[in-house]
Each structure stands twice: as C-alpha cells, then as structure tokens.
Amino acid sequence: MCKMNLTLDFELSKEDNLLKRFEEIHNYIYANDGLSTQQTLEEIIKILFIKIYDENKRSNRFQISAEELNHLKQSNSATTFVKRILNLLEETKKEFKDVFEADEKIRLSNTALGFTINKLQNISLADSSDDAKGLAFQKFLAHQEKDGRGQFFTPEPVIDFCVEIIQPKPNETIIDPACGSGGFLISSLKHLLKNNPKTKAENFVTKNLFGLDINKSIARIAKMKLLLEANRQANIFCTNSLEDLDEVRLIVSDALNNPDKNRDDGFDIVLTNPPFGTLGKITNTKTLSQYDLGYKWTGSGNEFYKTKTLRDGQSAEILFIERCLQLLKEGGRLGIVLPNGHFENPSLDYLRFYLKQKANLLAIVNLPQETFIPYGTGVKTSLLFLEKETANTKTLYPIFFSKIKKPGYQGNKNGTPIYKKDKYGMTIKDKSGTQILDEDFSIVVEEYKAFQKKQTIDSDNSFSINFNELNGRFDYDFYSPENKKMISDLQDKNAKRLCEIADIVKNKSKKLNQSDKSVEYVELSDINTHSFEIINTTNYTVHELPSRASYEVRTGDIITAVAGNSVGTEKHATALVTEEFEGCICTNGFRVLRDFKIDPYYLLYFLKSESFLKQIFMYRTGAAIPNISDSDLSNILINIPSDKVIKQISAKMKKAFELRQESRKQIESIKLELV
C-alpha cells in the first residue's frame, strides 16, 4: 500500500499554486495508479467537473475530512467518503450528459481519489479569478498536450493570430467544427473581452461559442477549459462534423433552444485546424455524396466542372473546407489551417477553383517550417482566410499575402522561446521588465489592418495582389513581388523557355523491360552539387531497381533535380553526364535535358544561377516532398545573352569542368601507382 503524508490545511491565491496542484495530482495518479498520461488527464478532468458541479450546487460534498483521510491512510478504504464522491459523480453525469457516458466510472484507486480531493477541496474554482484558474489550467493542459506530441494542439501564437485577423465582434457567432481542446474558442473569448469590456463572458460562451469534435475525451477537455474561463456550460459537442449537416445544425439548435430546429442562416465565423495527413481518406459513399468536393471534377486552367462520379476517397481536410463554408452564413468569415499542398499542387486546381466560386479570398499567410515541429509534425502549412459569397460577384478585389518568418520559438521538440536581442546580444525587455518574443505575427496583424484600410502594403513580410492576377495557385512564393520582378526582368531580356532550348526526356528506358539486365543507377544523392558531377552509381539488376528508376542518360546530357527538399535551393542537384556514365539509369527525381539549341556549358552555368533556383523554388509544390511539374519545368525562363557572352561563359565552364576531370584522373593514377 502506498503511504501518503498529506496535510489538510492549504492556502491558495496565486495561479502558480493552482498549477502546482494540478501537476502534483497528475504525477501522483500517474505514479501510483498505473494509468497512462492520457488516462490520468481524463480522470483529472472528470474530478474537476464534479468539483464545479458541487460548487454550483453549494452542496459542500466535494471534501475529505481529517477522520476520513486518516482512515484512508490506515486501511486504504473510506466508505463514507467514496460513496459521497460517487453520488456526486452520478449527479454530475446528469448535469453534463453531453460529456459523460451513462455508465462512466471513476478509475482512480481510493488513495488517489483521496489525494486528489484533498488537493482541490479548499480551492474555489467558481470564485477564484478567471486569470488564476484559467491560466493555471491552460498551462497544465499545454504541458500535457506537448508531452502527448500535440495530438490536439495548435500553437497558441497561430491561434491568437487567426483570431486577430478574423476580429470577432460581440454579436457574432463562432464555431470550430474540429475544436480539439478549444484553443480557437478560448482565444476568441479573450479577444472579445479585451476589446469589448462590456461583454459578459458567461453570456458570450452560452450564446455565441460552439465547438464540435469527434473525440469525446478531447471535447470534454474543451468544455472544461471554457467552464473555467466563464463558469458556464459551453456548447461543446462530441460529434462527427463531416456527417449529416442537418444533424450538426440540430445539435446547435437544441443547445440554443431554437424552436425552428435549424440554423439555416449559419454562423458568422468559423475558425479551425482540421485533422490532416494522418487519418487517411474518407471513403464512405453516403458521406462523400453530401459534398461537391466528394465528387470527381474535370477541366483545366480557369474552368472546372463537377462530374456525377463520386471519388473513391477524399481527404478529410478538403471535406472540412466545404463543411466550413456550409456552416457559414452569407458574408461569414473563415480562418483555417491547411497543408501547403492545398495552395499549390496542380492536382488540387479544382479545389482552388471551387473556393474562388464560393468565397472571396481575404488573406493567405505562409507559416515557417518549424511552426508545428514542437507539436509532432513537420508538415508545412499556411493559413487561409475567406469570406463566404456564393454569388461570387467580386472579381477585382485585393488579396492580402504574407509570410511569417519568425514564430517566436525554435523548431525543436520543446518549442524553446526566442527573444529579441540588441546588437550586443543582450535580451531586450519591455517597460515591465518582460522579455520580448522575437516574432512577426504581431507585425503581420498590423499590416493586415492597414491593408483593410486600403493602404498600400509592400513590406518584408506582406504584399497584396488583385483577384484577377491569380492563375490558380494560392501560395505566397509564387506571387511575391521579388519573384514577379525577376520574371518581368527575364521577359524584358527576351529570355526563352527551357523547352525551347532543350528537349526534356520523358520516356522510360527500354532497359527496364529486361528484368535480369545489370545496370548502373544514379540517385539524387550521387551528385556533387558544387561541381556538376556524378560522383557515384550503384549496380543493380533491373528487377532490383527502385520503382523510381526511369531514364537512361547519354554522354553530354544534363540532369537536373525536380523533386526533394533541396529543389530550388543552393543544394539543388544538376550534373553533366560524362562518357563514363553513358547508359546509366537515373531516378525520376531528375529530368534529362538533351539536344540543346544553345551551348550546354552555358545552360549548365544557368542551372546553378540565382535566377534559375528562384524560379524552381517559386514553382515547386508539395508540403511533404517538394517537386516541380514537367509543365512548370518547361516554362522556366532561361536568360539568353549575346553570343559573345555565351561563348565566354561556356569556355570558362568547360575549362573548369575539364580541370576537375583531369584532377580526379591524376588522383586516381596516384592510387594506382601505390597499388
């Protein structure tokens, strides 16, 4: 039996003390009852619901007396105490039917239950300040969420930024159909209270805030967080937001005691970070048939049409986009976190066409790679802000683009804060002596507010373009003023497209039909990116080759990378094929250039230039593995100077290449002499 040395007399005033108690309770249960971190958290939430119910009813049954505690220490049982708490649980379950199962039990041992009640009994969650109880619980929960690798966590700076961009008003209704632990809802409430002092938190929570989540445990946590903020039951429901829309509306109507049992007018605001990348595709035909985006689309360029054929499956987050629009009233606003691929991948042109038909684009904000790394994923994401307009009457309005470069924390597992420093390396502090985070979320918020006032925006972070300038892509880099100027300058110099000065090999090698043939294989990593050389090959029989093995190279060909994280960077792989690599097979991560209309040594030089790499980076797509399409590669602009300049550059490139080749031969000959 676990021995405890507990005292009954506490004093609590500061939120740090409350935070400490939450941590002590968690650690005790985790260490003594053999529950997982998640299970321990669920039991704590359960106990907190019981305590809030007891406080609201003023029954004073949430307690353990000195006599009961001593009896518990000595015999590991306390009949009256346990019975009293279990009776409270049953009453609490009836009060919070939407977050408790009818047969739900407390899973704690008697000693752990006694420890927990003892730690919390002298604390008034209802009467303590919102800042104290709310902040302590938020800190405790944030720690648990990060330990769980961000199962239901969106970084707080991202949440607060989205709310600042959307700017909710006191009379507006807000819903998050994938609310997780309620981050967007909590932030919206705090924004309202800060900017509208007359707003009553309890009224706003009960009438204006709504959250849906498919996970009951997570929905329970969100409800608890809002209870601690406003001491009112929140409209948090455990349901599958992607199922029947009428059912979702009915749930909301019931919460509002709406006699019409519908909410056809929709919500003013949707803020959400839907699950993506891990849940697989939705394949249920009944679900898919509810959505335009559940069907296949056909078309190209600026025209797409929905077919009558259901897709075999659709990504959950794409269906969430349409569901969010369905939940909005006309003129309502959406802020949503999405993978970058949804903003740029050619295969999703139809999605972006659909969005342009259904809404006005307000803003697109690119987030840095490290944004979600502390929370378990390195997927690059951007934020999309829309205003629903089914009629789609506006065509010349401006769209705000921005790029967050500094999130205020490191891309490590702990998300270590980064603070501003002066030129001497000393941390800068504000007037109250607090360190200032080195972030630019706040800068972009101010730039967006200036943009809303029709001011011209052209900064290191932000710019705007008109709707009619969109060509189907929504990504920041594609439209950045720097890249637009580069393309314009190249066009002014009569640059030619790559497909006009070289053939791009697209046919697989016939050698791949001979399963027992021995071949030399070239991967992206087999290139010395500084010297334009193939430095290694691997021997395979054809049937052993990776599935990406594709093209046969010839002497004089140029191969250049079209896939991988280094595409468009200084480590972009490009190489000239020399005689010793004649007939090798290369990965489809390369494209083979052949039959040149200009000197190949000049082209080799240009393929390492800043102009080429910036264009590749601008055109590349894909949130996980970046790549550039054959169409975009073909359209890369190649600056063609005078014949004299081309000859000069080509001669130097050829000489440098020959010297490297000769140097390598000399080194190899030394090795042979030593043997």
Side-chain angles (χ1 to χ4, degrees):
M1 183 180 70
C2 178
K3 291 185 177 180
M4 298 182 292
N5 182 20
L6 304 177
T7 60
L8 285 173
D9 297 324
F10 307 106
E11 284 190 11
L12 177 72
S13 56
K14 297 181 180 178
E15 56 90 8
D16 284 342
N17 287 341
L18 183 53
L19 173 62
K20 182 180 179 182
R21 302 225 177 152
F22 285 144
E23 296 288 359
E24 287 174 348
I25 292 167
H26 177 276
N27 294 341
Y28 184 91
I29 295 172
Y30 181 76
N32 290 277
D33 274 20
L35 300 181
S36 68
T37 299
Q38 181 63 31
Q39 290 170 331
T40 300
L41 181 58
E42 289 178 8
E43 293 305 305
I44 293 174
I45 301 297
K46 208 177 295 181
I47 298 297
L48 288 174
F49 270 109
I50 295 172
K51 177 164 180 58
I52 287 177
Y53 172 80
D54 180 70
E55 289 186 7
N56 289 340
K57 295 297 181 181
R58 302 185 184 279
S59 68
N60 297 319
R61 286 177 287 164
F62 189 94
Q63 60 171 297
I64 182 169
S65 67
E67 183 181 352
E68 289 170 332
L69 183 59
N70 289 331
H71 187 61
L72 187 63
K73 291 179 183 179
Q74 294 167 8
S75 64
N76 194 27
S77 67
T79 306
T80 55
F81 158 69
V82 173
K83 185 177 180 180
R84 184 170 62 252
I85 299 302
L86 293 182
N87 286 338
L88 265 177
L89 171 65
E90 293 306 312
E91 294 175 29
T92 303
K93 283 157 58 175
K94 292 176 183 177
E95 181 79 4
F96 299 100
K97 291 179 181 178
D98 53 332
V99 292
F100 284 99
E101 301 288 351
D103 60 350
E104 195 150 5
K105 306 294 182 186
I106 293 175
R107 301 174 61 185
L108 301 180
S109 65
N110 290 340
T111 51
L113 180 61
F115 182 91
T116 304
I117 301 299
N118 186 42
K119 285 289 182 182
L120 294 175
Q121 64 181 350
N122 289 336
I123 299 167
S124 173
L125 293 178
D127 296 333
S128 58
S129 75
D130 288 343
D131 285 344
K133 64 186 179 185
L135 185 57
F137 187 73
Q138 303 292 353
K139 285 182 177 180
F140 166 69
L141 188 59
H143 175 70
Q144 300 306 319
E145 287 171 331
K146 289 177 73 173
D147 278 355
R149 307 311 304 136
Q151 180 188 359
F152 44 90
F153 194 80
T154 304
E156 191 174 319
V158 174
I159 292 173
D160 293 343
F161 174 78
C162 289
V163 172
E164 289 285 348
I165 294 293
I166 289 292
Q167 300 169 33
K169 307 297 187 296
N171 63 327
E172 291 184 316
T173 52
I174 304 170
I175 189 169
D176 182 348
C179 70
S181 59
F184 283 109
L185 303 178
I186 295 286
S187 182
S188 296
L189 175 62
K190 290 182 176 179
H191 176 89
L192 259 298
L193 297 177
K194 177 182 176 182
N195 293 281
N196 302 275
K198 294 182 180 180
T199 299
K200 293 186 179 298
E202 56 271 23
N203 291 341
F204 193 80
V205 166
T206 54
K207 296 180 180 179
N208 297 67
L209 284 185
F210 299 85
L212 311 174
D213 202 278
I214 195 171
N215 186 303
K216 195 173 189 75
S217 296
I218 295 172
R220 182 182 288 173
I221 289 172
K223 200 168 188 85
M224 172 56 64
K225 289 170 75 171
L226 281 160
L227 263 172
L228 289 171
E229 286 293 331
N231 197 27
R232 286 292 188 279
Q233 284 209 49
N235 301 303
I236 306 294
F237 307 102
C238 178
T239 187
N240 185 344
S241 302
L242 295 181
E243 295 301 334
D244 188 15
L245 179 60
D246 290 336
E247 173 114 5
V248 172
R249 285 174 171 158
L250 184 61
I251 290 172
V252 172
S253 296
D254 284 343
L256 296 174
N257 295 315
N258 183 348
D260 295 331
K261 296 299 180 187
N262 65 60
R263 193 176 181 86
D264 291 332
D265 56 327
F267 292 86
D268 295 289
I269 294 170
V270 177
L271 283 164
T272 193
N273 177 11
F276 52 81
T278 58
L279 300 180
K281 293 189 174 183
I282 305 298
T283 57
N284 183 284
T285 55
K286 182 180 178 181
T287 302
L288 291 172
S289 63
Q290 299 180 52
Y291 298 89
D292 290 335
L293 298 173
Y295 288 82
K296 292 183 178 180
W297 286 63
T298 184
S300 61
N302 292 320
E303 288 294 331
F304 287 86
Y305 306 92
K306 187 182 82 170
T307 71
K308 295 181 180 180
T309 306
L310 274 177
R311 303 178 68 90
D312 295 330
Q314 181 60 283
S315 300
E317 71 272 14
I318 290 180
L319 298 184
F320 260 107
I321 296 171
E322 186 173 344
R323 179 48 47 97
C324 289
L325 288 171
Q326 292 170 347
L327 288 169
L328 281 174
K329 65 171 58 173
E330 198 75 11
R333 309 186 299 288
L334 165 65
I336 187 170
V337 184
L338 291 170
N340 275 3
H342 291 48
F343 295 76
E344 57 196 33
N345 285 354
S347 62
L348 293 175
D349 278 345
Y350 75 93
L351 168 63
R352 296 185 288 276
F353 172 82
Y354 176 83
L355 288 172
K356 289 191 291 184
Q357 302 305 304
K358 298 293 184 180
N360 297 320
L361 306 182
L362 299 177
I364 293 168
V365 180
N366 183 271
L367 298 175
Q369 178 81 51
E370 62 266 32
T371 303
F372 282 88
I373 289 177
Y375 310 103
T377 177
V379 174
K380 291 194 68 175
T381 57
S382 290
L383 305 172
L384 177 63
F385 299 92
L386 304 175
E387 179 183 76
K388 182 176 180 178
E389 186 176 337
T390 307
N392 191 34
T393 57
K394 297 180 182 177
T395 57
L396 294 176
Y397 63 89
I399 303 167
F400 180 84
F401 279 82
S402 192
K403 190 171 194 172
I404 300 296
K405 299 175 183 178
K406 297 182 290 185
Y409 54 85
Q410 295 179 24
N412 55 28
K413 67 178 183 179
N414 296 319
T416 307
I418 299 175
Y419 297 102
K420 287 185 177 181
K421 295 183 178 180
D422 60 23
K423 62 181 181 180
Y424 303 107
M426 302 297 292
T427 302
I428 300 173
K429 297 181 179 179
D430 61 20
K431 292 180 180 179
S432 64
T434 304
Q435 297 179 100
I436 302 172
L437 285 174
D438 191 12
E439 50 80 30
D440 46 17
F441 283 109
S442 55
I443 295 171
V444 174
V445 166
E446 293 307 311
E447 290 175 342
Y448 182 69
K449 289 179 179 178
F451 164 78
Q452 289 181 304
K453 295 176 182 176
K454 312 298 183 184
Q455 296 179 18
T456 301
I457 303 298
D458 185 7
S459 70
D460 290 341
N461 291 85
S462 308
F463 62 90
S464 67
I465 65 170
N466 286 322
F467 175 83
N468 60 359
E469 295 180 70
L470 287 177
N471 74 346
R473 293 177 61 150
F474 287 1
D475 50 312
Y476 172 95
D477 287 314
F478 192 82
Y479 298 104
S480 73
E482 181 184 2
N483 286 335
K484 286 176 69 175
K485 183 178 185 306
M486 174 189 64
I487 295 297
S488 177
D489 289 346
L490 286 168
Q491 290 171 336
D492 290 344
K493 295 176 183 177
N494 297 315
K496 293 185 179 295
R497 295 182 301 153
L498 180 59
C499 63
E500 296 178 292
I501 60 175
D503 291 342
I504 302 174
V505 176
K506 299 178 183 178
N507 298 321
K508 286 197 171 187
S509 172
K510 293 181 179 179
K511 289 181 179 179
L512 299 175
N513 297 325
Q514 305 171 53
S515 62
D516 294 327
K517 187 174 181 63
S518 177
V519 297
E520 295 296 320
Y521 175 65
V522 182
E523 257 292 3
L524 293 170
S525 57
D526 293 326
I527 305 302
N528 184 325
T529 57
H530 299 291
S531 63
F532 310 98
E533 293 178 292
I534 301 172
I535 57 174
N536 182 60
T537 63
T538 305
N539 184 267
Y540 289 100
T541 54
V542 168
H543 72 270
E544 296 174 326
L545 281 168
S547 59
R548 57 186 177 274
S550 300
Y551 310 118
E552 184 176 343
V553 299
R554 302 176 189 168
T555 303
D557 287 347
I558 294 176
I559 57 176
T560 192
V562 293
N565 287 319
S566 61
V567 167
T569 72
E570 291 183 355
K571 295 182 179 180
H572 184 101
T574 295
L576 179 67
V577 179
T578 56
E579 187 175 353
E580 65 185 294
F581 299 107
E582 169 80 29
C584 289
I585 302 295
C586 72
T587 172
N588 60 12
F590 288 113
R591 286 299 178 268
V592 180
L593 308 180
R594 185 177 293 162
D595 297 333
F596 307 102
K597 311 299 187 294
I598 60 172
D599 192 304
Y601 283 99
Y602 171 76
L603 181 59
L604 193 66
Y605 160 78
F606 189 84
L607 296 184
K608 198 65 174 176
S609 69
E610 185 179 26
S611 292
F612 173 76
L613 295 178
K614 280 188 174 182
Q615 288 183 79
I616 290 286
F617 199 87
M618 178 182 76
Y619 281 118
R620 77 180 202 169
T621 65
I625 303 177
N627 62 86
I628 179 170
S629 70
D630 286 334
S631 173
D632 287 335
L633 180 67
S634 297
N635 289 319
I636 293 289
L637 293 174
I638 309 297
N639 182 30
I640 309 295
S642 66
D643 289 345
K644 180 180 179 181
V645 171
I646 288 178
K647 286 181 180 179
Q648 289 175 342
I649 292 174
S650 298
K652 290 180 179 179
M653 285 293 295
K654 185 177 181 181
K655 182 66 174 176
F657 201 87
E658 289 173 345
L659 287 172
R660 283 194 294 270
Q661 294 290 305
E662 181 59 33
S663 173
R664 189 154 59 86
K665 288 179 181 178
Q666 290 289 340
I667 292 172
E668 288 174 355
S669 68
I670 295 172
K671 291 180 181 177
L672 289 172
E673 289 175 6
L674 291 174
V675 173

